[in-house]
């Protein structure tokens, strides 16, 4: 199941490019949201829409096409064929044809190979998709890549984070903007509801494909969408999705600020080597817990590891008390942490985070 919108073919009904129509409020709203989310662009600058053919990304493509017709900037599209469904190649081809009918150029289909990983099929498909989008952004020198996630997607993402017991960064949901392959990765439609993208498609004479896997209860996101959120609406009253979106927006600001502070502290106290990071214990201990955990996590990521869990961070933090074991404590991504037990050597008084060598891994 896709984490944004459906995967499938789409068609434009006859008359799409017909007589000038009165602007519908939802279309005007979407155009305003998109324009405000974009950086300053020249007519020659290219923006790529990641379009699956589902209602969210198709509506985004139609709204972006308006600016291409006005020659504000160029708009192209990328359709990623994951090859996970029977007939996915034909689905991708039809989607690309519909995007060309909207006037987008270049439009290309990128077929990817989804390699199973520890994060499950959805995570593996997502990684393959973003790799393909990054390659397209670099090849076409795009200024921005647009994704069609909506407010409803953000609410579901926050619920997933709550179910996993995640921290501030995860509960802040998907970022509206981040750097990506020399461009910006933007989610301009986060303030829009899913029903509004369906309305945009109807207004623009477009028929999106609805991926049946989005209704498959075998996927956690699908159960949140069709069972959990409707149950909460029924029991707690309407507006749950909007409340979760609002909470994510507030938490994103907090997480950005804490990450900025932690980055400064990491720069101040960390000694970064080829395969290890040394953190002064006294100065690390003096930090508030929220910053200390972030500095530890930054050291792990600096060594090529993944974001450690709360439990692993607490285990590494326990080394600072100099009681019991000196480690090592295994962290995410084959990175371990330990403290120098003896009062000798340059690493004494410092927490050592080290990346395992290939020989150690095997």
């Amino acid at each position: 199941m896709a984490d944004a919108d459906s995967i499938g073919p789409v068609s434009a009904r006859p008359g799409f490019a017909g007589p000038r129509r009165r602007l519908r409020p939802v279309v005007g709203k979407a155009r305003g949201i998109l324009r405000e989310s974009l950086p300053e662009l020249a007519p020659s600058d290219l923006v790529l829409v990641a379009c699956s053919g589902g209602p969210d990304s198709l509506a985004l493509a139609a709204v972006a096409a308006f600016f291409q017709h006005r020659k504000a900037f160029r708009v192209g599209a990328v359709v990623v064929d994951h090859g996970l469904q029977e007939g996915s190649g034909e689905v991708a081809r039809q989607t690309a044809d519909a995007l060309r009918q909207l006037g987008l150029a270049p439009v290309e289909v990128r077929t990817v190979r989804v390699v199973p990983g520890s994060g499950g099929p959805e995570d593996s498909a997502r990684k393959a998709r973003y790799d393909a989008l990054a390659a397209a952004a670099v090849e076409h020198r795009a200024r921005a890549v647009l994704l069609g996630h909506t407010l409803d997607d953000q609410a579901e993402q926050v619920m997933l984070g709550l179910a996993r017991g995640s921290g501030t960064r995860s509960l802040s949901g998907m970022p509206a903007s981040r750097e990506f392959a020399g461009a910006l990765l933007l989610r301009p439609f986060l303030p829009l509801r899913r029903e509004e993208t369906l309305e945009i498609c109807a207004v623009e004479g477009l028929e999106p494909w609805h991926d049946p896997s989005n209704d498959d209860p075998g996927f956690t996101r699908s159960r949140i969408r069709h069972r959990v959120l409707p149950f909460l609406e029924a029991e707690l009253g309407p507006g749950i999705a909007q409340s979760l979106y609002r909470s994510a927006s507030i938490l994103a600001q907090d997480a950005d600020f804490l990450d900025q502070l932690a980055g400064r502290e990491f720069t101040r106290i960390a000694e970064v080597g080829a395969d290890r990071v040394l953190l002064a214990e006294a100065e690390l201990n003096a930090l508030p817990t929220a910053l200390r955990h972030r500095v530890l996590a930054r050291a792990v990521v600096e060594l090529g590891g993944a974001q450690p869990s709360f439990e692993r961070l607490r285990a590494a933090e326990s080394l600072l008390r100099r009681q019991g074991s000196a480690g090592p404590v295994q962290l995410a991504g084959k990175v371990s942490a330990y403290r120098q037990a003896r009062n000798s050597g340059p690493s004494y008084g410092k927490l050592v985070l080290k990346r395992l060598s290939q020989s150690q891994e095997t």
Side-chain angles (χ1 to χ4, degrees):
M1 182 177 127
D3 66 329
D5 24 62
S6 310
I7 297 175
V10 59
S11 61
R13 291 198 295 267
F16 169 74
R20 184 181 181 86
R21 301 187 300 270
R22 182 178 179 181
L23 180 66
R24 297 290 185 90
V26 69
V27 176
K29 176 183 177 181
R31 289 175 182 173
I33 287 173
L34 175 58
R35 195 67 190 92
E36 289 177 7
S37 72
L38 291 168
E40 288 296 323
L41 297 171
S44 60
D45 288 334
L46 176 66
V47 170
L48 291 175
V49 179
C51 187
S52 65
D56 301 342
S57 61
L58 184 61
L60 178 57
V63 170
F66 166 80
F67 293 98
Q68 167 143 306
H69 298 323
R70 290 292 185 92
K71 301 188 185 305
F73 48 84
R74 296 162 52 223
V75 182
V78 181
V79 182
V80 179
D81 175 15
H82 300 83
L84 298 177
Q85 297 177 348
E86 185 177 352
S88 65
E90 178 62 17
V91 162
R93 186 193 65 77
Q94 292 184 38
T95 300
D97 287 345
L99 292 168
R100 294 185 185 102
Q101 291 179 40
L102 288 172
L104 273 59
V107 174
E108 65 177 32
V109 175
R110 295 214 168 203
T111 302
V112 298
R113 178 172 174 265
V114 178
V115 180
S118 58
E122 290 179 84
D123 185 67
S124 299
R126 184 181 303 110
K127 183 181 185 307
R129 178 166 62 253
Y130 280 80
D131 286 348
L133 294 175
V138 171
E139 181 178 324
H140 294 289
R141 299 182 180 179
R143 288 288 309 280
V145 177
L146 309 183
L147 304 179
H149 298 94
T150 65
L151 182 150
D152 298 271
D153 295 307
Q154 188 73 302
E156 293 160 11
Q157 190 70 22
V158 175
M159 288 299 300
L160 285 169
L162 285 169
R164 289 192 290 259
S166 304
T168 309
R169 175 55 67 191
S170 181
L171 295 180
S172 67
M174 298 172 286
S177 172
R178 69 177 176 89
E179 292 184 3
F180 179 76
L184 286 175
L185 188 72
L186 303 176
R187 295 180 172 90
F189 276 10
L190 283 181
L192 286 182
R193 298 300 305 267
R194 186 172 291 132
E195 62 192 29
E196 291 179 295
T197 65
L198 286 165
E199 184 180 352
I200 292 170
C201 288
V203 168
E204 299 292 355
L206 300 168
E207 296 179 350
W209 173 263
H210 298 277
D211 184 353
S213 69
N214 285 323
D215 300 322
D216 185 348
F219 294 101
T220 304
R221 184 180 290 272
S222 178
R223 295 195 299 274
I224 289 174
R225 179 177 301 182
H226 297 292
R227 297 179 185 177
V228 176
L229 288 175
F231 173 80
L232 292 176
E233 293 268 356
E235 295 297 318
L236 302 179
I240 293 298
Q242 292 92 328
S243 296
L244 290 170
Y245 168 75
R246 185 165 54 251
S247 296
S249 300
I250 295 169
L251 287 169
Q253 297 174 21
D254 294 346
D256 288 344
F257 179 65
L258 288 170
D259 286 347
Q260 184 180 37
L261 291 180
R264 292 175 184 170
E265 294 298 333
F266 180 84
T267 300
R268 181 176 67 86
I269 70 175
E271 299 175 33
V272 181
D275 65 343
R276 68 189 64 201
V277 173
L278 306 181
L279 300 171
E281 292 182 33
E283 297 186 6
L284 193 58
N285 259 324
L287 296 177
T289 303
L291 293 184
R292 185 163 57 248
H293 283 187
R294 282 172 166 78
V295 169
L296 286 168
R298 170 71 178 270
V300 174
V301 173
E302 194 79 18
L303 292 170
Q307 172 71 30
S309 68
F310 175 72
E311 291 76 16
R312 291 292 85 201
L313 288 173
R314 289 290 300 272
E317 187 182 43
S318 69
L319 298 174
L320 299 173
R321 293 193 288 270
R322 290 199 163 266
Q323 297 173 348
S325 172
V329 170
Q330 299 303 320
L331 299 170
K334 296 183 173 58
V335 175
S336 62
Y338 64 91
R339 59 178 171 81
Q340 188 70 40
R342 296 180 180 178
N343 188 359
S344 63
S347 60
Y348 183 75
K350 297 171 184 175
L351 192 67
V352 182
L353 288 91
K354 183 178 180 181
R355 182 180 62 243
L356 297 180
S357 65
Q358 290 186 351
S359 60
Q360 289 173 310
E361 293 178 22
T362 56

